[in-house]
Amino acid sequence: MTDEHEEIVEQQADITGLLLHHVYAPLLEDQHVRGVLPAPSTKDAVRVVLGDKGEYGTGRLTAYEIPLRVDDGLRTPHDVAALLRTVHTGTHIYPRDKVSSVMGMTLFIVDPATVDPAPFTDDDWALTLLRCLTSPSTEERPQARLCGFLFLAPDRLRLYLDADEEALPGVTAADVRPGGALTALLAALPSLLDEQWLTTADADDPHCSRIVDLTDW
């Protein structure tokens, strides 16, 4: 993995960590985060899926692709949230080449130069402070870094994980059931990612190199 790609993956993981809060707390009005997707490796971007709380129907979800590189740096997780709050409200006209579909969802390619990010709210500042106090940053990289997720059904959640680059190049998606023996699953997850007999192919998902089905584990 190149240094440039590593910094994108690291930023993707940070964005996922921040937006997890908005699975339950709306990002804006009645819109919740239903997924964070690692954009294909050819793009230095993140894709965020928005929809109603508890929504799983892809036809009622909207995905936004936001480029992460800006000047000599990267957009922060808060920058991404601010852009999402703006583009998902009001009327925004997208050129035809900026609108497509992915996994059954409408996908909009956001041009940050045409968007005025929404201002930081008091709750945003409070959340930042509380997260810093309860989850301080660490230099120790986890064995399987969470780079995204997508709600597929009430009993099926897809996790996008960046694991051992030599053994498993690219992003591995693991389909799991949210309920059950979560502690045991989390402990075993890194070792299960390279189990070939659990691996499936899904040409419909361009956000990962492979999919591991752990729903019956």
Side-chain angles (χ1 to χ4, degrees), residues 66-82:
I66 298 176
L68 292 180
R69 293 203 181 276
V70 53
D71 299 326
D72 295 328
L74 296 174
R75 287 189 170 81
T76 69
H78 293 295
D79 292 336
V80 171

Side-chain angles (χ1 to χ4, degrees), residues 37 43 47 58 61 63 65 96-109 204 206-207:
L37 305 170
K43 299 184 177 184
R47 291 174 174 174
T58 56
L61 298 174
E65 180 176 304
R96 184 173 300 177
D97 62 347
K98 299 297 182 182
V99 183
S100 61
S101 64
V102 62
M103 300 175 70
M105 300 174 285
T106 300
L107 172 65
F108 294 102
I109 311 298
D204 190 42
H207 308 101

Side-chain angles (χ1 to χ4, degrees), residues 129-161:
L129 172 61
L130 294 171
R131 287 176 64 90
C132 289
L133 291 171
T134 58
S135 303
S137 60
T138 176
E139 294 299 323
E140 183 178 353
R141 175 179 168 175
Q143 287 182 283
R145 182 167 46 182
L146 182 65
C147 293
F149 63 93
L150 181 64
F151 290 95
L152 298 175
D155 62 346
R156 195 178 188 97
L157 176 65
R158 180 162 294 177
L159 306 176
Y160 294 89
L161 300 155

